[in-house]
Amino acid sequence: MQSHAYYSFEIERLAKILKHMRARVVLIQLPDGLKPHSVYLKRELSNKLPGIRVFFSGKGTYGPCDIAFDEAITVGADVIVHYGHPPIRYAKSEIPIIYMPAKIKVEVDPQVVIDEIAKRRYKRIGLSAIIQYVDLLDVVYNKLKDIGIEVYVGRGANAYRGVVLGCDYSAAISINSYVDAHIIIASGKFHGLGLKIATGKDVLIYDPLRNEVMSIEREYRRRLSLKLKQLIDAEKATLFAVIICKKAGQFNMMMALKAMQLLRESNREYISIIVDEITPASLENFTYVDAFINTCCPRIAIDDIDRFNKPILSLYDLRTILKGEVNQYSLRL
Amino acid sequence: MQSHAYYSFEIERLAKILKHMRARVVLIQLPDGLKPHSVYLKRELSNKLPGIRVFFSGKGTYGPCDIAFDEAITVGADVIVHYGHPPIRYAKSEIPIIYMPAKIKVEVDPQVVIDEIAKRRYKRIGLSAIIQYVDLLDVVYNKLKDIGIEVYVGRGANAYRGVVLGCDYSAAISINSYVDAHIIIASGKFHGLGLKIATGKDVLIYDPLRNEVMSIEREYRRRLSLKLKQLIDAEKATLFAVIICKKAGQFNMMMALKAMQLLRESNREYISIIVDEITPASLENFTYVDAFINTCCPRIAIDDIDRFNKPILSLYDLRTILKGEVNQYSLRL
């Protein structure tokens, strides 16, 4: 079903902006899935702007929280081009950032969505999308309107109407009280799961590439049970580690200090670790640590939970175990 | 045989220096193998300097080329404590760095070394050590002297007499012309292999923990054959990627620009990628690239060669294939 889908890199538009900015050295950041297109991007940009020097960041990028500032400074880039995520505001960015959505162009006929809504007898639907599918919002919206369904599209913290991020469902939350269920246009379970956790309502994922609709309920319950198992393990922990993230948009010393204070107040020993990214490899050498407190990306303690062999807790999770309230626990971003 | 060996972290000395510097926030960097000791270090330092705030870097560190400046800046550290490597000079370090050797304390009787020298009929020996075993240099030196062997210990670019680093064998090179063979006090093959490549002479590794002597010849030949295979593969490459490293002590834009120039001059297409570390994961998404040019740690293109499924070439390797001189190739750092 993927035959008619392709990414739009909007090279023409990008080249115009870069020319206007008189950019000489550009650092391009691509999520891992888009890295195979780096050769095409370099070729096209060099054709349009022969004088420009193009570098690619070799790191993954998980969102607008994860901008390659250090890499840009190192190569002397005067502009960062960040593909695949909507912009968010930073306290400081000395190097200008151009956010390019990397939209996926695909023809859709969302009849499967209509069938699923009818089957479940939803009357009022919240509609959102990941940035790649932002152009499909109106297509699906109109189709649902046509058959008399009440549809709501919210506005949130990012620049695009109806668009959600892995950690930001404010667009969907803004309309949550009006709807029976949410439909999100996305591929994979990641954003659907976040939407479920953020809203508590029924969530259906509409994947336009596969032309399929999927409920997130089962995945949500699986994550919840994994998390409960970790909380119960963490209750026995004697040594904790508070993890701080170096990424500009994930660094949260206030949260880390709060975690340290809670641990001190309940006489738990801890160390503090700063990482660029929480991975099994970056934690496995801290062999004596029983449980990690994550102050980085809030999704790690939920989505990557089965990649780690020790508990990874959010500040909320830590509070829950210190207060002995595991029995009343539910997932939270 | 490891029963009487332990690391010396010299907490007393470190605390004195930190107190003298009036350090308030300290970032401690440990190579992965030492990370399990982080809890002990935090506990001991906090006992001696109750007012100090201690953070650990969650990243690995491969040498004095690999200092956690960004992490230190992020947590507001006023001092970096770097364990396990000798100091080298930096163009700039706004945060002072304390280099702690992390010596391994072990009793040795190097009779196995003497037996091996006798067997091989070496008369004149070059002696070097990794920083962890610097205190053993004199023990082995005296023992060899006692039985009438001519022993030379060199001085190189780093602060310790006779000490080599993964990429710096200047201490051994300074005495290379006087000796039949080199003995290096080290664990594992890594430094012995580097010494062989740097000097071309016979190299024996004396591992004081196992009390064993090992020739590096076989490993050297294995690496050489793997490299030749890669060079032959790379001769057919049409798309190259020049990799630049963000680490302060590995960043080498001059070398990267030289590689780009060579590629342009021979009409090869390339992209440029900046990474913090060259890993299979950081390269695998650049699917269209046929061969990578490494301008980062010189050891990667030699030691990690079988971890990658595409050629990783040094600038010297690139020159070799562009000139069609694979037949005359030998390993070079």
Side-chain angles (χ1 to χ4, degrees), chain B residues 42-312:
Chain B
K42 154 96 194 285
R43 210 176 278 157
E44 292 295 307
L45 260 189
S46 302
N47 280 344
K48 290 197 199 316
L49 302 169
I52 214 161
R53 198 178 275 283
V54 176
F55 294 92
F56 291 91
S57 166
K59 291 213 300 186
T61 172
Y62 297 103
C65 56
D66 193 4
I67 303 291
F69 290 118
D70 298 334
E71 284 88 348
I73 291 165
T74 305
V75 297
D78 37 36
V79 178
I80 296 171
V81 177
H82 182 98
Y83 268 99
H85 300 112
I88 54 169
R89 278 193 188 287
Y90 276 102
K92 59 157 192 168
S93 167
E94 281 157 31
I95 303 174
I97 307 165
I98 303 173
Y99 292 89
M100 300 291 291
K103 293 178 191 172
I104 301 173
K105 296 293 175 194
V106 55
E107 295 286 322
V108 294
D109 170 18
Q111 185 61 41
V112 284
V113 180
I114 289 166
D115 295 346
E116 195 67 28
I117 291 172
K119 209 176 89 187
R120 293 168 178 263
R121 298 172 190 227
Y122 297 138
K123 299 263 175 319
R124 303 171 308 160
I125 288 293
L127 189 63
S128 49
I130 61 170
I131 182 99
Q132 276 70 42
Y133 296 128
V134 61
D135 289 349
L136 297 183
L137 273 174
D138 283 340
V139 180
V140 177
Y141 181 90
N142 289 330
K143 186 91 183 187
L144 295 182
K145 274 287 193 195
D146 284 351
I147 57 156
I149 291 168
E150 241 177 87
V151 194
Y152 296 84
V153 178
R155 261 208 183 279
N158 73 66
Y160 291 81
R161 170 181 156 269
V163 165
V164 299
L165 269 168
C167 61
D168 170 23
Y169 296 89
S170 49
I173 291 168
S174 74
I175 51 161
N176 197 35
S177 58
Y178 310 126
V179 304
D180 305 323
H182 290 272
I183 290 174
I184 178 167
I185 311 171
S187 295
K189 296 173 183 172
F190 179 78
H191 293 90
L193 179 63
L195 185 55
K196 168 77 191 177
I197 294 169
T199 64
K201 293 270 167 83
D202 286 0
V203 168
L204 297 175
I205 302 166
Y206 172 48
D207 182 340
L209 294 184
R210 294 168 173 269
N211 201 36
E212 280 175 6
V213 182
M214 175 176 62
S215 164
I216 198 63
E217 201 59 32
R218 194 186 171 81
E219 183 63 18
Y220 173 77
R221 283 169 187 254
R222 194 172 83 83
R223 293 286 150 194
L224 178 59
S225 66
L226 285 168
K227 174 56 83 180
L228 287 171
K229 159 98 174 56
Q230 281 209 339
L231 291 180
I232 291 161
D233 288 348
E235 285 185 314
K236 291 170 290 189
T238 53
L239 182 73
F240 291 80
V242 178
I243 315 283
I244 299 150
C245 187
K246 189 165 70 64
K247 294 185 197 300
Q250 294 187 15
F251 173 67
N252 192 337
M253 186 59 92
M254 290 306 289
M255 192 190 282
L257 291 174
K258 187 74 205 166
M260 293 176 203
Q261 187 195 333
L262 289 175
L263 289 164
R264 270 197 308 274
E265 285 171 3
S266 38
N267 291 314
R268 310 288 187 120
E269 195 176 6
Y270 67 87
I271 61 170
S272 309
I273 303 170
I274 175 155
V275 299
D276 185 56
E277 197 167 312
I278 296 186
T279 62
S282 69
L283 301 187
E284 72 181 0
N285 290 301
F286 293 95
T287 47
Y288 290 103
V289 174
D290 301 312
F292 295 90
I293 317 300
N294 165 35
T295 69
C296 312
C297 169
R299 295 302 300 257
I300 293 167
I302 296 166
D303 298 81
D304 293 349
I305 191 166
D306 43 6
R307 291 176 61 213
F308 298 92
N309 52 18
K310 288 180 187 170
I312 313 282

Side-chain angles (χ1 to χ4, degrees), chain A residues 1 8 53 63 65 85 105 111 118 123 146 159 181 194 199 238 247 249 271 274 278 281 308 321:
Chain A
M1 293 300 294
S8 163
R53 199 178 275 284
C65 56
H85 300 110
K105 296 295 175 192
Q111 186 59 41
K123 298 263 177 318
D146 284 352
T199 64
T238 53
K247 294 185 199 297
I271 61 169
I274 174 154
I278 295 187
F308 298 91
I321 63 159

Side-chain angles (χ1 to χ4, degrees), chain A residues 92-226:
Chain A
K92 59 157 190 165
S93 167
E94 281 156 31
I95 303 173
I97 307 166
I98 303 174
Y99 291 89
M100 300 290 292
K103 293 177 190 172
I104 301 172
K105 296 295 175 192
V106 57
E107 295 288 320
V108 294
D109 171 18
Q111 186 59 41
V112 283
V113 180
I114 291 167
D115 295 346
E116 195 67 30
I117 290 172
K119 208 176 90 186
R120 291 168 179 263
R121 297 171 190 227
Y122 298 138
K123 298 263 177 318
R124 303 172 309 160
I125 287 293
L127 189 62
S128 49
I130 60 170
I131 181 97
Q132 277 71 41
Y133 297 126
V134 63
D135 289 348
L136 297 183
L137 273 174
D138 283 340
V139 180
V140 178
Y141 181 89
N142 290 330
K143 185 91 182 186
L144 296 182
K145 274 287 193 196
D146 284 352
I147 58 156
I149 292 169
E150 240 177 85
V151 195
Y152 296 84
V153 179
R155 262 208 182 279
N158 74 67
Y160 292 80
R161 169 180 156 271
V163 165
V164 301
L165 269 169
C167 61
D168 169 24
Y169 296 88
S170 49
I173 291 167
S174 73
I175 51 162
N176 196 36
S177 57
Y178 310 125
V179 304
D180 306 322
H182 291 272
I183 290 175
I184 178 167
I185 310 171
S187 296
K189 297 173 182 170
F190 180 78
H191 293 91
L193 179 62
L195 185 55
K196 168 76 191 176
I197 294 169
T199 64
K201 292 270 167 82
D202 285 0
V203 167
L204 296 175
I205 302 166
Y206 171 48
D207 182 339
L209 295 183
R210 296 168 173 269
N211 200 36
E212 280 175 8
V213 181
M214 176 176 62
S215 164
I216 199 63
E217 201 59 33
R218 195 185 168 82
E219 182 64 18
Y220 173 77
R221 283 168 188 255
R222 194 172 83 83
R223 294 286 149 193
L224 178 59
S225 65
L226 284 168

